Amino acid sequence: MAGPKHFLDIDRFEGDTLRDILDVGRSFKAGTPPDGEPQPLAGKALALIFEKPSTRTRVSFEVGIRQLGGDAVVLEPSSTQLGRGETVADTARVMSRYVDAIVIRTVKEAHLLELAEHATVPVINGLTDRTHPCQLMGDVMTFEEHLGAIAGRTIAWCGDGNNMASSWIQAAVRFGFELRLACPEPLSPPQDVLDWAAREGGRVLVTSDMAEALDGADCVVTDVWVSMQDDDKRPDRHNLLRSYQIDDAAMAMAKPEAIFMHCLPAHRGEEVAASVIDGPQSVVWDEAENRLHAQKGILLWCMK
Ligand code: CP
Ligand code: NVA
């Protein structure tokens, strides 16, 4: 018997499946749900486990499952037995008896994988220290709403080679776009993710030169300099990243019609200038909204 349909990472999917998921998300957004069924998950329950803070992921999944007819239970380890040492595996076995799918945001990817191994219901990656695939689904949807098909286009990532950078690399391969990452050398994306992209024939360039990444790009993306799991590491992060800020001069190196994306939360004056994130090329609020729509596609793929 086939196991549960987990949504763990972009690299585990065929491009066509990811496209189908986005199409479903788009039809909900357009008010024309697949098969004319606005609440296809009626009676289903979704658990959300947050080992780290969240605004967008939590609210968009909670509202999303309710709009699809289901219900949500949100758990923080400190208020559950996970916080007192119950294993992730046992938690997976128990939760599978109550709910129909589990979203988890973890401090360690190993927790996500352990949950997926022992759960008998679908597990969805709501961000780990390594990746953030749900965000990428919303990001691709947002790019295509503004600029058309993403295949063959050029995206420039500037800043930390973090979890978002890894998911962008995986998306570049699966959705067929060119990705140029400008990162300070010590904060380059993980080598195993880059090696995977190279093996898959992806067009992924890593450079420390902002101009090389930004030249003629269709879309400019950045993220915080200090991710949630990085608080106590590398005190030199700000110094390393200072010259990678997206300001007006950086945007001017991209195409005139280029859009600016950021998964949020943002730190104005650090990774992005206020004039850019609050300016006419920024699509960050659409991007945040599209988490809701793209994730409806993910929920349906996992749970129906
Ligand atoms: N972009 C994102 O995942 O935001 P949250 O941390 O608020 O969920
Ligand atoms: N890289 C950021 C993304 C937040 C949505 C972090 O992990 O904190």
Side-chain angles (χ1 to χ4, degrees), residues 53-58 105 132 135 228 263-265 291:
S54 167
T55 299
R56 278 144 290 268
T57 305
R58 173 177 173 158
R105 169 167 287 196
H132 195 5
Q135 180 70 51
M228 287 180 271
C263 64
L264 305 176
R291 291 292 301 280

Side-chain angles (χ1 to χ4, degrees), residues 145-169:
E145 277 177 1
H146 283 270
L147 296 177
I150 199 167
R153 310 297 279 279
T154 302
I155 314 294
W157 169 277
C158 299
D160 186 16
N162 62 14
N163 46 5
M164 279 298 302
S166 289
S167 282
W168 270 104
I169 293 168

Side-chain angles (χ1 to χ4, degrees), residues 13-300:
F13 287 86
E14 302 287 337
D16 285 350
T17 309
L18 296 169
R19 287 237 149 264
D20 290 346
I21 290 173
L22 282 185
D23 286 347
V24 171
R26 277 194 201 99
S27 22
F28 278 108
K29 184 172 185 180
T32 51
D35 306 321
E37 219 184 320
Q39 300 212 310
L41 298 182
K44 304 267 186 189
L46 177 70
L48 295 142
I49 303 175
F50 287 98
E51 294 180 354
K52 294 200 272 200
S54 167
T55 299
R56 278 144 290 268
T57 305
R58 173 177 173 158
V59 177
S60 55
F61 267 114
E62 227 185 304
V63 170
I65 185 76
R66 293 211 168 102
Q67 289 180 351
L68 294 173
D71 211 346
V73 185
V74 182
L75 300 167
E76 276 144 30
S78 59
S79 58
T80 70
Q81 300 292 4
L82 269 171
R84 293 184 59 250
E86 185 166 22
T87 66
V88 174
D90 286 354
T91 305
R93 294 179 182 108
V94 172
M95 301 278 276
S96 298
R97 302 291 178 107
Y98 300 133
V99 301
D100 302 285
I102 307 168
V103 175
I104 184 166
R105 169 167 287 196
T106 67
V107 287
K108 273 196 209 134
E109 186 187 45
H111 292 179
L112 169 78
L113 300 177
E114 188 178 344
L115 192 75
E117 184 184 341
H118 297 282
T120 54
V121 298
V123 170
I124 298 171
N125 177 354
L127 179 147
T128 72
D129 52 331
R130 269 177 68 82
T131 56
H132 195 5
C134 292
Q135 180 70 51
L136 253 293
M137 295 298 276
D139 291 358
V140 171
M141 181 183 271
T142 306
F143 180 99
E144 297 198 326
E145 277 177 1
H146 283 270
L147 296 177
I150 199 167
R153 310 297 279 279
T154 302
I155 314 294
W157 169 277
C158 299
D160 186 16
N162 62 14
N163 46 5
M164 279 298 302
S166 289
S167 282
W168 270 104
I169 293 168
Q170 296 177 349
V173 172
R174 292 298 183 241
F175 288 97
F177 56 86
E178 180 180 348
L179 179 67
R180 302 191 207 133
L181 302 112
C183 309
E185 219 169 295
L187 299 175
S188 273
Q191 195 55 48
D192 62 319
V193 180
L194 293 170
D195 289 346
W196 171 82
R199 281 197 305 279
E200 296 283 321
R203 283 173 303 153
V204 176
L205 167 87
V206 183
T207 174
S208 54
D209 178 1
M210 286 271 278
E212 193 181 2
L214 287 164
D215 181 39
D218 296 288
C219 171
V220 179
V221 194
T222 189
D223 186 15
V224 289
W225 286 347
V226 185
S227 284
M228 287 180 271
Q229 72 278 356
D230 291 331
D231 276 354
D232 300 313
K233 295 182 221 152
R234 290 206 81 107
D236 59 344
R237 256 173 192 283
H238 281 71
N239 286 338
L240 285 168
L241 287 158
R242 206 168 301 283
S243 60
Y244 290 82
Q245 186 190 80
I246 304 300
D247 55 12
D248 294 309
M251 285 305 290
M253 291 187 232
K255 284 190 180 148
E257 66 274 22
I259 54 174
F260 170 77
M261 296 216 272
H262 188 313
C263 64
L264 305 176
H267 294 76
R268 289 169 177 78
E270 292 192 7
E271 74 275 6
V272 61
S275 56
V276 172
I277 192 167
D278 299 318
Q281 288 170 283
S282 173
V283 298
V284 298
W285 312 122
D286 292 342
E287 187 183 356
E289 179 187 333
N290 282 336
R291 291 292 301 280
L292 172 68
H293 307 299
Q295 285 162 194
K296 284 185 180 172
I298 295 170
L299 288 170
L300 227 68

